[in-house]
Amino acid sequence: MTERHFVIEQADPVVVYGVNNANLRMLRALLPKLRIIGRDNVLKVMGGEEDIAHFEEVFAAIERHATRYNTLSEEDLIALVRRGTADKGSAKADGAIVYSTAGKPIAPRSDNQRRLVEAYHENDLLFATGPAGSGKTYMAIALAVRALKNKEVRKIILSRPAVEAGEKLGFLPGDMKEKVDPYLQPLYDALQEMIPALKLQEYLDTNVIQIAPLAFMRGRTLNDAVVILDEAQNTTTAQIKMFLTRMGMNTKMIVTGDMTQIDLPASQKSGLIEALHILRDIPDIAFIEMNRRDIVRHRLVTRIVEAYENSKRNSPSLPQPLSPLKGEKAVDGTNGDK
């Protein structure tokens, strides 16, 4: 009798084993000549050499399927054992970039989102700008996750400037990670939809996926990675130049931003606006500009964005409250004479 160990490297063991080890029990029933024991991310298999050789092919197909789709039903398992592939219907036709943790395809849903995906394949540096909810960051992270799963890169690096959106948060408690996490939560949200929780935590613990404030990029050379800079409209000229010059070998960079949500002080110019102007004619850099037709959030988001655009075009600047005259009382009860 031969004994072999098979390590689940790419897929989440929870997906492979199934709820309450249902898939593991099904696998034993489908392959009765083998003794299969699962512990953590290792399957110990005992049996004849010919049967184990067959299991090696089955295991590879199971891991590929679980890694791509983030699900593994009993029907899929039966098909993989018997035919080496599961019937996913129009899996190729749906244009899915990756699949969510619920097994749903994540695919472009507008023309500009499709242009973003095409531009990613043809260029090493990509700028994607547009309003809130147009899918810039979500599509970028989906492309990065697919590249990682396909072993095209060794890591994903996600960054954004730590700029408060119109309100002062003061001193945040905790260590460095706890202080910057509130700024990076939108990136975590997208990752949690695409990578099972245990696998995501493993990637974060081993720095396969790195999420860091922009300030921590200085001095690094980023090789074999997909690097995403989110909320780039809030970078300064020096910051975005520093970020763009971190690019190493076999690296793709995606820069996303929304020109209508600049939270920098009025005295500072957005580095993204300047970069778009300076780099416009450089080859191998793509520029995708999205609009309200690309918004894929609640339908009210599209109407809200449109209303603000119309207000900006058609209305004069909103009047500012008058400062109290010398000697008069201000609205807050303080004396205007300082």
Side-chain angles (χ1 to χ4, degrees):
M1 180 177 288
T2 303
E3 178 179 315
R4 286 274 306 278
H5 289 188
F6 296 87
V7 180
I8 304 170
E9 295 179 346
Q10 294 295 318
D12 184 357
V14 174
V15 174
V16 175
Y17 294 155
V19 178
N20 296 324
N21 290 331
N23 289 343
L24 194 57
R25 290 195 297 273
M26 174 65 73
L27 199 58
R28 289 167 181 155
L30 293 169
L31 301 168
K33 293 182 180 180
L34 295 173
R35 186 181 177 195
I36 304 171
I37 301 171
R39 177 168 294 179
D40 296 329
N41 67 329
V42 179
L43 285 174
K44 183 168 74 172
V45 182
M46 292 167 281
E49 290 187 8
E50 187 174 336
D51 294 320
I52 286 184
H54 171 62
F55 181 83
E56 186 172 6
E57 297 176 3
V58 170
F59 175 78
I62 289 172
E63 186 170 32
R64 280 196 305 271
H65 183 94
T67 300
R68 172 164 185 172
Y69 298 108
N70 283 323
T71 60
L72 182 66
S73 67
E74 292 187 1
E75 292 79 8
D76 292 335
L77 190 58
I78 292 170
L80 289 165
V81 171
R82 292 179 177 173
R83 300 196 304 269
T85 182
D87 182 13
K88 295 303 289 185
S90 58
K92 292 183 179 179
D94 63 16
I97 301 171
V98 291
Y99 288 77
S100 72
T101 53
K104 296 181 179 179
I106 295 173
R109 295 172 59 182
S110 71
D111 289 340
N112 282 327
Q113 287 186 6
R114 279 185 282 274
R115 286 182 58 220
L116 189 155
V117 173
E118 293 168 1
Y120 168 85
H121 295 300
E122 298 170 0
N123 301 272
D124 291 333
L125 175 58
L126 169 62
F127 288 85
T129 58
S134 56
K136 308 178 298 295
T137 303
Y138 198 71
M139 287 291 103
I141 291 179
L143 289 165
V145 170
R146 183 178 68 179
L148 183 64
K149 287 188 174 186
N150 292 346
K151 299 183 178 180
E152 297 167 10
V153 296
R154 292 190 300 145
K155 54 183 177 280
I156 297 172
I157 300 173
L158 308 174
S159 184
R160 60 187 291 174
V163 176
E164 295 160 351
E167 57 182 321
K168 298 298 182 184
L169 301 179
F171 292 101
L172 296 174
D175 58 20
M176 183 200 70
K177 181 178 183 301
E178 292 170 328
K179 289 179 187 293
V180 301
D181 271 358
Y183 298 103
L184 306 175
Q185 191 58 49
L187 305 179
Y188 285 112
D189 291 343
L191 287 170
Q192 287 164 357
E193 283 194 41
M194 302 177 199
I195 302 176
L198 290 178
K199 197 66 182 177
L200 176 57
Q201 191 58 53
E202 177 189 329
Y203 284 150
L204 292 170
D205 291 342
T206 57
N207 286 328
V208 172
I209 294 180
Q210 302 172 27
I211 303 179
L214 181 58
F216 287 37
M217 291 292 177
R218 186 172 297 280
R220 300 183 65 183
T221 300
L222 308 175
N223 296 314
D224 294 312
V226 177
V227 189
I228 298 172
L229 175 59
D230 191 32
E231 301 288 349
Q233 76 276 2
N234 288 326
T235 60
T236 64
T237 299
Q239 284 176 330
I240 199 164
K241 179 182 176 184
M242 179 271 291
F243 172 81
L244 295 174
T245 54
R246 301 306 95 201
M247 180 181 285
M249 304 303 294
N250 190 37
T251 289
K252 284 182 177 283
M253 283 187 166
I254 305 175
V255 179
T256 68
D258 179 359
M259 303 306 189
T260 67
Q261 298 192 60
I262 298 175
D263 300 311
L264 292 169
S267 59
Q268 285 187 320
K269 182 187 294 186
S270 169
L272 177 59
I273 294 176
E274 194 166 8
L276 293 176
H277 175 71
I278 293 172
L279 305 177
R280 178 63 64 177
D281 298 323
I282 296 181
D284 298 323
I285 300 179
F287 302 86
I288 305 297
E289 187 173 350
M290 297 183 171
N291 53 54
R292 61 177 179 266
R293 288 188 294 274
D294 300 301
I295 294 175
V296 291
R297 291 180 183 168
H298 193 286
R299 63 182 181 276
L300 280 178
V301 176
T302 303
R303 297 174 187 172
I304 290 168
V305 170
E306 185 174 1
Y308 272 92
E309 288 178 352
N310 291 337
S311 175
K312 187 175 180 180
R313 281 196 303 266
N314 303 327
S315 302
S317 299
L318 293 176
Q320 298 298 316
L322 296 175
S323 300
L325 296 175
K326 185 175 182 179
E328 290 185 346
K329 293 290 185 180
V331 176
D332 61 1
T334 59
N335 194 302
D337 187 7
K338 294 186 179 179

